[in-house]
Amino acid sequence: MIEISNPGVMTNQCQELATLIMRHTEGNGVHPTAIEQLSFARSNTMSTGAYYSVDEPRLTLIVQGKKEMLLGEETYPYHAGQYQVLSVTLPLSGRVVEATPDQPCLVLKLSLDLVQLCDLVAQMGFSSAKPENSVRGLWVSNANAMLIECVLRLVKLLETPQDIPILAPMMLRELYYRLLVGEQSGAVRQIATSGSSMQRIASAIQLIKDEFTQSLRVEDLANQVKMSTSSFHQHFKQVTSMSPLQYQKQLRLMQARRLMLTEDFDAIAAAYQVGYESPSQFSREYSRMFGAPPMRDIERLRTA
């Protein structure tokens, strides 16, 4: 368990943020804001089951309540006053573990602009990351007063929307700076440092995403990002907690689930659509990941 520093300050800041977020949200779900990169998530009840998503690089701050995220077989619990940074695109599952209608779980999400991060890293003069220094693409840390104060000023801009075009870019840049000098500065620098192993793995992840329905040859993927096959395997697992083939499998299964749930595909059609050649293999792997065969899982989701 990570302990929060300066708990009194953190409590006051989170309470002020919670008041603002409650003002800009109604009911459960994700709520976009007038600041393009910023959104809020609100959950009035604890999760009855895990939710699954493929998430892009972002900063997530828990303002009220508790959540836990799962990456592969690793669990990352975090609560009010802690933040999570996702530095590469990852397939995740998660659940809300503390929330009530009177005290909903409130989450602030900020999409990360890697181009802006790279510009700031260059300006700050950080040296290039060493290839052997790849770290996990998801981590949880304590927020400090300066980081939350910057977040608070950004959220307050929603009260004066005419100020957003001028002031929001400056505050976002300050937030990036706080991440780059914060508790996990090394991880943030690596994803924003040209030529680092993490950037190469991020490029490989994008290649898998773009062609996840196609057969995957790890040797070809390693060549495309200019890494040896053994080094690529090692760094890919270090960043994502899974192998390239496991990563592709999770993308396929999540997309198949979406097709069945939102576009009324049957299981066989969904399997072929996402690249499976064997419906029985698809059903086995789907059941292993989601806990039930495809159509039973979809029926459960529709009636939940």
Side-chain angles (χ1 to χ4, degrees):
M1 178 64 68
I2 303 172
E3 296 297 330
I4 299 177
S5 58
N6 301 320
V9 174
M10 295 298 173
T11 298
N12 293 337
Q13 289 176 319
C14 285
Q15 285 177 347
E16 189 173 359
L17 268 173
T19 299
L20 289 168
I21 292 175
M22 291 285 281
R23 192 180 302 162
H24 291 279
T25 58
E26 290 184 13
N28 291 330
V30 177
H31 304 265
T33 74
I35 300 172
E36 184 178 0
Q37 291 174 251
L38 179 68
S39 62
F40 304 132
R42 175 173 171 172
S43 301
N44 294 330
T45 59
M46 294 187 295
S47 301
T48 56
Y51 59 85
Y52 294 80
S53 60
V54 180
D55 288 350
E56 305 285 340
R58 55 164 171 71
L59 161 71
T60 303
L61 173 69
I62 298 284
V63 175
Q64 184 171 276
K66 294 181 182 179
K67 293 184 68 178
E68 64 180 25
M69 303 300 295
L70 283 79
L71 173 63
E73 297 182 354
E74 298 174 354
T75 301
Y76 295 81
Y78 66 130
H79 51 77
Q82 294 181 323
Y83 67 96
Q84 175 197 95
V85 169
L86 197 64
S87 56
V88 296
T89 302
L90 291 173
L92 301 171
S93 60
R95 62 192 187 99
V96 175
V97 296
E98 184 180 283
T100 67
D102 292 334
Q103 294 283 314
C105 183
L106 301 174
V107 180
L108 178 147
K109 298 185 178 186
L110 185 72
S111 299
L112 296 180
D113 186 326
L114 297 183
V115 173
Q116 290 186 31
L117 266 174
C118 288
D119 289 345
L120 193 53
V121 164
Q123 183 179 341
M124 294 170 72
F126 288 122
S127 59
S128 297
K130 296 180 181 180
E132 64 269 24
N133 285 343
S134 290
V135 295
R136 187 70 82 238
L138 180 155
W139 40 266
V140 173
S141 286
N142 300 323
N144 59 42
M146 290 183 290
L147 178 68
I148 295 190
E149 193 270 336
C150 186
V151 169
L152 197 49
R153 284 188 280 112
L154 180 68
V155 173
K156 284 180 178 179
L157 284 181
L158 299 175
E159 308 293 301
T160 56
Q162 69 275 12
D163 295 335
I164 290 174
I166 303 301
L167 297 181
M170 291 188 285
M171 292 179 187
L172 289 169
R173 186 173 177 83
E174 181 183 347
L175 263 173
Y176 292 162
Y177 173 78
R178 296 297 172 198
L179 291 176
L180 285 166
V181 298
E183 189 173 286
Q184 296 288 344
S185 59
V188 184
R189 286 203 305 270
Q190 282 190 41
I191 196 58
T193 300
S194 179
S196 70
S197 292
M198 274 196 81
Q199 272 209 350
R200 294 175 192 234
I201 296 304
S203 297
I205 285 171
Q206 189 60 50
L207 291 169
I208 296 173
K209 274 188 64 188
D210 290 344
E211 299 182 357
F212 73 92
T213 63
Q214 306 301 312
S215 296
L216 175 64
R217 292 192 74 252
V218 176
E219 296 81 1
D220 293 342
L221 201 56
N223 286 335
Q224 287 181 273
V225 296
K226 297 180 172 54
M227 298 178 76
S228 70
T229 302
S230 60
S231 178
F232 176 72
H233 264 292
Q234 175 189 343
H235 287 288
F236 195 97
K237 188 156 190 179
Q238 180 61 36
V239 173
T240 68
S241 89
M242 62 192 83
S243 71
L245 289 172
Q246 289 171 328
Y247 186 100
Q248 182 195 47
K249 182 191 298 182
Q250 291 207 14
L251 292 185
R252 285 180 168 184
L253 293 172
M254 288 186 187
Q255 173 66 358
R257 197 187 206 204
R258 187 194 68 79
L259 291 172
M260 290 185 289
L261 185 62
T262 65
E263 299 187 27
D264 290 326
F265 275 61
D266 62 33
I268 293 176
Y272 288 133
Q273 182 72 19
V274 301
Y276 277 87
E277 296 179 358
S278 166
S280 60
Q281 181 188 1
F282 168 73
S283 183
R284 285 195 306 272
E285 294 182 351
Y286 189 102
S287 298
R288 194 174 301 126
M289 181 167 177
F290 297 116
M295 299 318 296
R296 190 191 308 165
D297 175 57
I298 297 304
E299 183 63 26
R300 180 177 63 187
L301 291 173
R302 287 176 174 159
T303 58

